């Protein structure tokens, strides 16, 4: 049963990855908008850029991890079929 619950928290496709990245970006930009109100001027905009940059880095890492896992699975299946 725990294996089925655990599968819910695994990103399996690029579509799922893009949905998660979108949710992260939405939250980060909301937080960035609050930063511009709390810290008017350049400081707030720098913090907003930092939240956007964090999403870019996290999204790239998620997509790279998916590509790595897919390559690893294809190598395993090729080795198993040979």
């Amino acid at each position: 049963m725990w294996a089925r619950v655990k599968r819910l928290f695994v990103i399996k496709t690029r579509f799922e990855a893009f949905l998660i990245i979108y949710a992260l970006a939405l939250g980060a930009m909301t937080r960035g908008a609050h930063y511009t109100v709390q810290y008017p001027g350049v400081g707030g905009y720098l913090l907003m850029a930092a939240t956007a940059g964090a999403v870019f880095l996290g999204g790239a890492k998620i997509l790279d991890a998916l590509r790595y896992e897919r390559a690893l699975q294809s190598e395993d299946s090729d080795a198993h079929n040979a």
Side-chain angles (χ1 to χ4, degrees), residues 24-25 28-29 32 45-61:
L24 289 171
M29 289 299 97
Y45 288 111
L46 287 174
L47 288 170
M48 186 173 187
T51 60
V55 173
F56 286 135
L57 292 174
K61 191 66 169 178

Side-chain angles (χ1 to χ4, degrees), residues 25-44:
L26 194 62
M29 289 299 97
T30 302
R31 186 66 223 155
H34 288 283
Y35 280 145
T36 60
V37 172
Q38 288 177 338
Y39 306 104
V42 175

Side-chain angles (χ1 to χ4, degrees), residues 17-28:
F18 285 126
L19 286 176
I20 290 170
I21 294 167
Y22 174 75
L24 289 171
L26 194 62

